[in-house]
Amino acid sequence: MSQRIISLAALTVLELSPPEMVEVAARAGYSHVGLRLEPATPQEKHFPLVSDADLRRQTVARLRDTGIQVFDVEILRLKPETRVSDFAAILAVGAEFGASELLVAGNDPDEQRLTENFAALCDLSAQYGLHPHLEFMPWTDARDLVQAMRIVENAGRENGCVLVDAFHFNRSGSRLEDLRRLPASRTHYVQLCDVAGPRPDDMDEILRQARNERRFPGDGDCDLLGLLRNLPADLPLSLEIPTLGLLEQGVSALERAQLAIDKTWALLTHL
């Protein structure tokens, strides 16, 4: 088996500070981590890497000591009022950590403006060596794979990419036949988790599951092998698997990170 990049996503162990997360990733056998430079919601626990220089220094030191690398940084939201130039400080920190990928959400119902802002973000990100990945999520304004592909193609930037997350792929009703049309150059990683049960009718319930109740690969109903077989071979994997129930039961971040990577390696043996 080739040594595929496997990165620990922040949402899997969101209670950890960045230095703690790096330590857990190293102990569990990951090669990379994803750092959350901007919180996804106002409510979530957040460690302000962009504004806290001391925390950045601690994180860089832990990265150096463990050999773990930063793969992606998140999460930038493109909203109607967004001024892309305001993201420069965040992108600079991402580059400082050596990240190559940037996770982006589309939160603007005007698709033309969303596309233009994504193009502008690609232009700004290119100065920092980053590839913006538009992640489709069914409750956002990039709802599914087809729409995300259209926005990225219409933006027309070489470094513009689409991020496929197994949860959102399933819950948005996206199709493998559409995934086959995604050029290999348009995605540099995939977010992996499993999903249990049929797609709820209620979007609030889908959102709750996305943030709190995903499954480890092989523990749900998602056709993860079908998904991976229709993506470039050995595409880096970011394991984004929030499991609030396990956290509340006292299962440690290290144990959860270990379960995630062990079950991922087991899945990959079937490819």
Side-chain angles (χ1 to χ4, degrees), residues 216 243-252 256 259:
F216 298 114
T243 48
L244 185 62
L246 293 182
L247 175 64
E248 290 173 342
Q249 291 166 34
V251 179
S252 74
R256 295 181 341 257
L259 278 167

Coordinates of all heavy atoms in Angstrom, one line a residue, residues 216 243-252 256 259:
F216 N -17.3 6.7 11.9 CA -16.0 6.3 11.4 C -16.2 5.5 10.1 O -17.2 4.8 9.9 CB -15.2 5.5 12.4 CG -15.0 6.3 13.7 CD1 -15.5 6.0 14.9 CD2 -14.2 7.4 13.6 CE1 -15.3 6.7 16.0 CE2 -13.9 8.2 14.8 CZ -14.5 7.8 16.0
T243 N -17.9 13.3 16.6 CA -18.7 12.3 17.2 C -19.0 12.8 18.7 O -18.4 12.3 19.6 CB -17.9 10.9 17.3 OG1 -16.6 11.2 17.8 CG2 -17.9 10.3 15.9
L244 N -20.0 13.6 18.8 CA -20.3 14.3 20.1 C -20.7 13.2 21.1 O -20.3 13.3 22.3 CB -21.5 15.3 19.9 CG -21.8 16.1 21.1 CD1 -20.7 16.9 21.6 CD2 -23.1 16.9 20.9
G245 N -21.4 12.1 20.7 CA -21.8 11.1 21.6 C -20.6 10.5 22.3 O -20.5 10.3 23.5
L246 N -19.5 10.2 21.5 CA -18.3 9.6 22.1 C -17.6 10.6 23.0 O -17.1 10.2 24.1 CB -17.4 9.1 21.0 CG -17.8 8.0 20.1 CD1 -16.8 7.6 19.1 CD2 -18.2 6.7 21.0
L247 N -17.6 11.9 22.6 CA -17.0 12.9 23.5 C -17.7 13.0 24.8 O -17.0 13.0 25.9 CB -17.0 14.2 22.7 CG -16.6 15.5 23.5 CD1 -15.1 15.4 23.8 CD2 -16.9 16.8 22.7
E248 N -19.0 12.9 24.8 CA -19.8 13.0 26.0 C -19.6 11.8 26.9 O -19.8 11.8 28.1 CB -21.3 13.3 25.7 CG -21.5 14.7 25.1 CD -22.9 14.9 24.6 OE1 -23.6 13.9 24.4 OE2 -23.3 16.1 24.5
Q249 N -19.3 10.6 26.2 CA -19.1 9.4 27.0 C -17.6 9.3 27.6 O -17.3 8.4 28.2 CB -19.3 8.2 26.1 CG -20.7 7.9 25.6 CD -20.8 6.9 24.5 OE1 -19.9 6.0 24.4 NE2 -21.7 7.1 23.6
G250 N -16.8 10.4 27.3 CA -15.5 10.4 27.8 C -14.4 9.8 27.0 O -13.3 9.5 27.5
V251 N -14.8 9.4 25.7 CA -13.8 8.9 24.8 C -12.8 10.0 24.4 O -13.2 11.0 23.9 CB -14.4 8.2 23.6 CG1 -13.4 7.7 22.7 CG2 -15.4 7.1 24.0
S252 N -11.5 9.8 24.7 CA -10.5 10.9 24.5 C -10.3 11.2 23.1 O -10.6 10.4 22.2 CB -9.2 10.5 25.1 OG -8.6 9.5 24.3
R256 N -10.4 8.8 19.7 CA -11.2 9.0 18.6 C -10.4 9.2 17.3 O -10.7 8.7 16.3 CB -12.1 10.3 18.8 CG -13.1 10.0 20.0 CD -14.0 11.1 20.3 NE -13.7 12.5 19.9 CZ -13.2 13.4 20.7 NH1 -13.0 13.2 22.0 NH2 -13.0 14.6 20.2
L259 N -9.3 5.7 16.3 CA -10.3 5.0 15.7 C -10.5 5.4 14.2 O -10.7 4.6 13.3 CB -11.6 5.2 16.4 CG -11.9 4.3 17.7 CD1 -13.0 4.8 18.5 CD2 -12.1 2.8 17.3

